[in-house]
Structures are given as structure tokens and as C-alpha cells.
């Protein structure tokens, strides 16, 4: 009499009828760019690149439009400032040795005003682009189509919250660096006045403390923009949410974010290094040529192709910057989704939201 209750097909570890072995678990559902399961490093990067490829129009289109508008605004602000203080600026350039404060003050005020306007406009533009990346990735994970108009409508509603998160995060991260700068400046003054013999090694020790503290805070609040968009959270709520999700997974979040930053660096070098080697060489001085009348004429004589190279270099820098401002938010948002899948069972929610029965799908834009 044979025993059929052990390792055979009818036993607890049995395989399909008529055979032996282990039945593999079915793959997790994948309605969009990532499987709805805990994500590995390869899945995070694969999902980011797949989103950039399939949703290039809403991602890069909105980013390009945003930075074009930003450029127009900055150029307009600079033009208005020059129209207001142009006479004072010409006076300063014509007689730099006889500078009077009455001429320098309007130029300084105009420069500070343009700089402040540019900083505010840059913060708003970056917040808008970051919110658009998160909103687009939401559709990419669910396997839905996303048009530029749809992404814009969702992005514009959540941009104030992302802007608040950006401002608060900038202030929090800047505090350790400002403290380090103040200590460095105080010690520098003390050494110059010879009032103390404080060791310079103390500055190095402070840097060893402040830099890791800044990185720790940056990673700790890194999920806040995603929470501000996907959970409709206010800035403070989004930052608290980020702390709860990152707690216990800080090193993993830091490591994958660092890999994303290295990927951005590699892409940037791949774009800019060929342009650096393609920079035109200066032409030898020609004594028979008429002397240059100004700086522009001098550059035209010594480096005649500098104008075309400058345009090409600016275009390459813009492409590299565009990749960075899109890729890094995608990586961070995918890590946010991964943490919610691991801790909160978000996979089931996403599967129901996608309307999928468990089969994988794709979106082709």
C-alpha cells in the first residue's frame, strides 16, 4: 500500500495534477508603468524612465512652457529695471572712478528687486513643475491617458501646497547651513582681530555635523511634495506625512535618491562634455586687422564661432536641467508610492482605481 500523503502531487507542497514541483505565484498586476507590489531599485528607475517615455508630452511639455514663461518674465523684469535706471548705469560705466551713491543707489535697488522677483518666480516655476510630475505619475501608475490640459488643471490646484512645502523645506535645510556660515564668519573675524585662538579644526567639525544634518532633513521631508499633490495635504500636513513614511526607511530612501542624483549627473555630463570639447579655439592675433572697438568686437575677432557655440551650449544646459527637474521628482514619488504599498496596502486601492482586473496594461502617448 503506497503512501500518497507526503511530497506527491496531492501533498501539501504538491504541484499541478500529473506532475511534481512548485507552482509560482502569479505576477502582480501592472496596469501602468510599475507593478502594484513593493518596488525594487530597478523597478523604481524603470518606472521613471517609462513615465518619461510614455508621458513625454505632459511631462516635458508643461516643464518647457513653464520655464519659457519664466524666461520671458525675467527678461521683462530686467528690461523694466534697465529702462528705469539706464541713465544711472551709463553714468557708472562711463566714469567708474567718480562713482556717487546717488547714481549707485538706484542701480543697487533695481538689481535687488530683479533678483528677488527672479527668486520668487523660480520657486513658483519649480513648484509647478514638481506638482506636474507627481500628477502625471499618478496617471502613469494607473495606466490612464494624460493630456497636457488635464495635467495642468490638476497641477494648478496643488501648486500652492507644493510651493509652501518647497519654501518650508528650503528654510529648514538652510538653517544648519546658515548656522555654520555664522560660526565660520565669527571665527574668521576673531582670527583677524587676534582676540581668540580658536582652532580652525572646529569649522571642519561643524561641517561634519551640519552637512549630514542637512541631508537627513532633506530626505526626511522628501515625500512632502508627493503627499501635497496625491493626498491633497496642506504644507505642514504633507511634511508630517513624509516624516511618518520615511521613518524606518531613511537609508533606503537616501540610497535610491542618491542613485537618482548620480543618474542626473551622468546624463548632464553626457550632454555637456561633448559641447565642452567642441568649444571653438581662439584664433591667432592678426596685427593687420583693425583693433577691436569693444569687447564684442574683440570676441568676434578671436573666437568667431563663439555665438553659435553659446547658443548650442545654452540649449544643452537647458536639456540637462529639464531632465533633472523631471527625473528626480519621479524617483521620489515612486519611492513614496512604494512606502505606501508596503505599509498601507495601497496596491489594492490603486488596482481598484485603475479599473483593472489584474492584467498588465500600457499607455502609449
Amino acid at each position: 500500500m503506497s503512501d500518497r500523503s507526503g511530497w506527491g502531487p496531492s501533498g501539501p507542497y504538491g504541484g499541478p495534477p500529473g506532475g511534481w514541483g512548485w507552482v509560482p505565484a502569479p505576477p502582480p498586476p501592472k496596469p501602468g508603468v510599475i507593478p502594484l507590489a513593493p518596488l525594487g531599485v530597478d523597478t523604481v528607475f524603470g518606472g521613471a524612465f517609462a513615465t518619461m517615455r510614455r508621458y513625454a508630452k505632459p511631462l516635458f511639455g508643461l516643464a518647457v512652457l513653464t520655464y519659457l514663461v519664466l524666461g520671458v518674465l525675467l527678461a521683462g523684469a530686467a528690461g523694466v529695471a534697465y529702462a528705469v535706471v539706464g541713465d544711472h548705469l551709463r553714468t557708472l560705466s562711463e566714469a567708474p572712478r567718480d562713482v556717487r551713491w546717488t547714481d549707485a543707489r538706484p542701480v543697487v535697488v533695481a538689481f535687488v528687486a530683479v533678483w528677488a522677483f527672479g527668486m520668487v518666480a523660480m520657486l513658483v516655476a519649480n513648484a509647478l513643475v514638481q506638482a506636474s510630475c507627481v500628477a502625471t505619475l499618478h496617471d502613469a501608475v494607473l495606466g490612464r491617458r494624460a493630456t497636457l490640459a488635464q495635467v495642468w488643471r490638476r497641477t494648478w490646484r496643488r501648486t500652492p501646497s507644493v510651493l509652501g512645502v518647497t519654501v518650508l523645506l528650503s528654510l529648514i535645510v538652510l538653517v544648519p547651513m546658515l548656522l555654520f556660515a555664522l560660526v565660520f564668519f565669527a571665527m574668521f573675524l576673531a582670527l583677524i582681530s587676534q582676540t581668540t585662538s580658536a582652532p580652525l579644526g572646529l569649522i571642519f567639525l561643524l561641517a561634519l555635523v551640519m552637512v549630514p544634518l542637512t541631508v537627513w532633513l532633506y530626505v526626511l521631508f522628501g515625500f512632502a511634495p508627493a503627499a501635497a499633490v496625491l493626498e491633497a495635504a496642506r504644507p505642514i500636513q504633507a511634511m508630517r506625512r513624509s516624516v511618518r513614511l520615511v521613518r524606518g526607511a531613511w537609508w533606503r530612501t537616501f540610497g535610491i535618491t542618491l542613485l537618482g542624483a548620480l543618474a542626473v549627473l551622468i546624463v548632464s555630463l553626457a550632454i555637456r562634455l561633448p559641447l565642452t570639447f567642441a568649444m571653438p579655439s581662439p584664433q591667432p592675433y592678426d596685427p593687420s586687422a583693425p583693433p577691436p572697438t569693444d569687447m564684442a568686437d574683440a570676441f568676434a575677432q578671436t573666437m568667431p564661432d563663439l555665438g553659435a557655440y553659446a547658443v548650442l551650449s545654452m540649449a544643452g544646459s537647458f536639456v540637462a536641467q529639464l531632465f533633472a527637474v523631471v527625473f528626480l521628482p519621479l524617483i521620489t514619488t515612486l519611492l513614496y508610492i512604494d512606502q505606501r504599498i508596503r505599509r498601507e496596502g495601497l496596491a489594492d486601492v490603486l488596482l481598484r482605481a485603475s479599473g483593472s482586473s489584474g492584467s498588465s496594461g500600457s499607455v502609449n502617448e
Side-chain angles (χ1 to χ4, degrees):
M1 182 175 179
S2 62
D3 184 7
R4 301 180 58 87
S5 62
W7 298 86
S10 60
Y13 298 95
W20 298 74
W22 170 71
V23 179
K30 187 180 178 182
V33 295
I34 59 170
L36 301 184
L39 307 178
V41 178
D42 56 339
T43 314
V44 171
F45 278 79
F49 283 111
T51 303
M52 289 192 295
R53 183 176 66 254
R54 301 179 187 180
Y55 294 81
K57 290 181 181 179
L59 270 179
F60 294 104
L62 190 55
V64 169
L65 289 176
T66 300
Y67 288 118
L68 285 179
V69 172
L70 175 65
V72 171
L73 291 177
L74 293 180
V80 171
Y82 181 80
V84 173
V85 300
D87 294 337
H88 299 282
L89 190 60
R90 283 189 293 270
T91 300
L92 295 177
S93 61
E94 291 172 357
R97 296 184 179 180
D98 300 328
V99 174
R100 294 178 299 177
W101 177 242
T102 54
D103 291 322
R105 181 175 56 190
V107 175
V108 172
V109 172
F111 175 80
V112 172
V114 172
W115 176 83
F117 174 78
M119 291 297 295
V120 173
M122 181 67 73
L123 283 175
V124 174
N126 288 338
L128 195 149
V129 172
Q130 194 167 24
S132 70
C133 293
V134 178
T136 305
L137 185 60
H138 176 261
D139 288 331
V141 171
L142 297 179
R144 297 174 178 172
R145 296 184 61 87
T147 63
L148 187 62
Q150 292 171 345
V151 173
W152 165 255
R153 286 193 294 269
R154 290 197 301 270
T155 297
W156 182 248
R157 292 196 298 266
R158 302 312 308 162
T159 296
S161 292
V162 178
L163 178 61
V165 167
T166 303
V167 173
L168 290 175
L169 183 58
S170 300
L171 293 176
I172 291 174
V173 169
L174 281 177
V175 167
M177 303 308 295
L178 288 177
L179 290 175
F180 171 73
L182 289 175
V183 172
F184 177 83
F185 183 69
M187 294 186 64
F188 179 73
L189 292 180
L191 289 175
I192 290 179
S193 60
Q194 297 181 353
T195 58
T196 182
S197 58
L200 292 177
L202 180 60
I203 298 178
F204 179 73
L205 293 177
L206 287 173
L208 289 180
V209 174
M210 294 302 180
V211 172
L213 178 60
T214 303
V215 174
W216 178 72
L217 291 172
Y218 179 82
V219 175
L220 191 66
F221 296 112
F223 292 164
V229 176
L230 298 180
E231 300 181 31
R234 295 180 179 180
I236 299 296
Q237 295 173 337
M239 298 181 76
R240 291 175 178 173
R241 180 73 166 139
S242 177
V243 172
R244 288 195 295 268
L245 289 174
V246 173
R247 187 180 294 123
W250 190 94
W251 282 107
R252 183 174 186 272
T253 304
F254 167 73
I256 298 178
T257 304
L258 181 61
L259 288 177
L262 291 176
V264 169
L265 177 62
I266 292 173
V267 171
S268 178
L269 291 176
I271 294 174
R272 294 178 180 178
L273 281 181
L275 295 175
T276 301
F277 290 116
M279 182 175 181
S281 302
Q283 300 294 324
Y285 175 70
D286 186 3
S288 62
T293 57
D294 53 18
M295 188 63 69
D297 190 20
F299 274 114
Q301 290 185 17
T302 57
M303 303 182 70
D305 299 327
L306 185 61
Y309 169 79
V311 173
L312 189 61
S313 179
M314 290 179 60
S317 298
F318 180 74
V319 171
Q321 183 66 21
L322 199 63
F323 174 80
V325 299
V326 169
F327 183 72
L328 289 177
L330 293 179
I331 293 293
T332 305
T333 307
L334 285 170
L335 289 174
Y336 159 86
I337 293 173
D338 172 62
Q339 284 301 110
R340 291 199 60 188
I341 288 176
R342 293 172 183 268
R343 298 184 178 184
E344 301 174 356
L346 185 65
D348 295 334
V349 178
L350 293 175
L351 185 60
R352 290 194 299 268
S354 67
S356 172
S357 61
S359 60
S360 59
S362 63
V363 175
N364 296 315
E365 285 285 300

